[in-house]
Amino acid sequence: MMSAQHIAAALMMNPLLAVVLIGLFVAVMLALNGRGRVTSSQRCHRRYRATAERVLQRLPQLAGDAQRLVYLRRINPYAFEELLLLALERQGHPVQRNASYSGDGGLDGQVFIDGHRWLIQAKRYGKTITPAHIRNFGTLLLRERCGGFFIHTGRTGNLSRLLLHAYPQVRLISGQRLLNLLAGDAAWLSSIPFPVKSGWSVSDASQF
């Protein structure tokens, strides 16, 4: 077996070999590091999906709708995202999950309903959503040229409701409609007009 001194001497005599070996070492380390990140992301998705499944089982056992909403406001925000996607899947709608939970730019997933692509923004809130939430999501939908579901557990203020008229692509899902979605009741969807308005532009929102 060659000693470390012999190996070092051989590499000094053959710089090209040294470059090749260093390149191989770097490539192997990058591959191992990348595999670790993927594995960590997969573990997170499995953990939050398992939590979402437990939440869906727990909700029907609670005494009433008020208790269910209080319970939803206490779960992990990432588990809430998975909860919505899982509920949509169980109703037969294909969904697309993000690769990671952070850095999503306001997009928490996608669902396809009757050939239409809908983006999802999930807000596990106990307080009132702000008009900026609606405006930012509406701007994202304008850029993506599709509709979206803004789903939250909090309260919707009057200004936010008014702003929804300026962003017709945004469909608000909260309160009883949210509970219907999680219960697998198609009533959550029956009151939503399809398809979204075509030809919508930012000028529609300029008055707000």
Side-chain angles (χ1 to χ4, degrees):
M1 179 180 296
M2 295 181 64
S3 66
Q5 292 83 357
H6 287 99
I7 295 175
L11 292 176
M12 290 179 63
M13 294 177 61
N14 192 338
L16 180 59
L17 177 61
V19 171
V20 171
L21 291 177
I22 292 173
L24 287 173
F25 174 78
V26 171
V28 169
M29 293 304 296
L30 288 175
L32 291 175
N33 188 41
R35 185 174 62 181
R37 285 198 302 270
V38 171
T39 301
S40 175
S41 177
Q42 290 174 341
R43 283 198 300 268
C44 286
H45 277 85
R46 284 197 296 266
R47 182 168 68 252
Y48 291 126
R49 184 181 177 91
T51 300
E53 290 174 346
R54 291 193 296 270
V55 171
L56 277 183
Q57 294 173 359
R58 173 65 176 157
L59 284 174
Q61 302 171 9
L62 298 177
D65 290 344
Q67 289 84 351
R68 294 183 182 99
L69 287 172
V70 170
Y71 177 67
L72 289 172
R73 290 168 186 153
R74 294 174 177 170
I75 68 175
N76 182 282
Y78 296 147
F80 182 60
E81 293 178 19
E82 284 293 339
L83 179 66
L84 301 177
L85 295 173
L86 182 60
L88 289 165
E89 281 184 322
R90 290 188 174 183
Q91 293 188 32
H93 305 302
V95 303
Q96 182 175 323
R97 290 174 168 81
N98 295 343
S100 63
Y101 292 108
S102 59
D104 53 30
L107 172 61
D108 297 320
Q110 304 178 54
V111 61
F112 298 86
I113 302 176
D114 295 334
H116 296 280
R117 173 183 177 235
W118 295 81
L119 306 188
I120 297 171
Q121 182 163 120
K123 295 289 186 186
R124 196 275 297 142
Y125 269 17
K127 55 186 179 181
T128 303
I129 62 171
T130 69
H133 293 146
I134 301 295
R135 185 180 298 109
N136 293 340
F137 190 49
T139 301
L140 172 64
L141 299 179
L142 173 63
R143 185 169 63 247
E144 295 292 324
R145 303 181 66 81
C146 66
F149 296 122
F150 188 98
I151 310 176
H152 73 93
T153 60
R155 294 174 291 277
T156 307
N158 291 333
L159 185 56
S160 293
R161 291 190 182 279
L162 183 62
L163 192 60
L164 286 170
H165 294 292
Y167 294 96
Q169 272 95 336
V170 179
R171 300 293 190 260
L172 188 70
I173 308 294
S174 63
Q176 188 59 54
R177 186 179 287 176
L178 169 59
L179 294 177
N180 288 341
L181 165 62
L182 298 179
D185 184 348
W188 78 272
L189 192 59
S190 61
S191 59
I192 297 177
F194 286 87
V196 296
K197 173 185 172 185
S198 61
W200 182 81
S201 68
V202 72
S203 61
D204 294 323
S206 60
Q207 59 182 313
F208 291 90

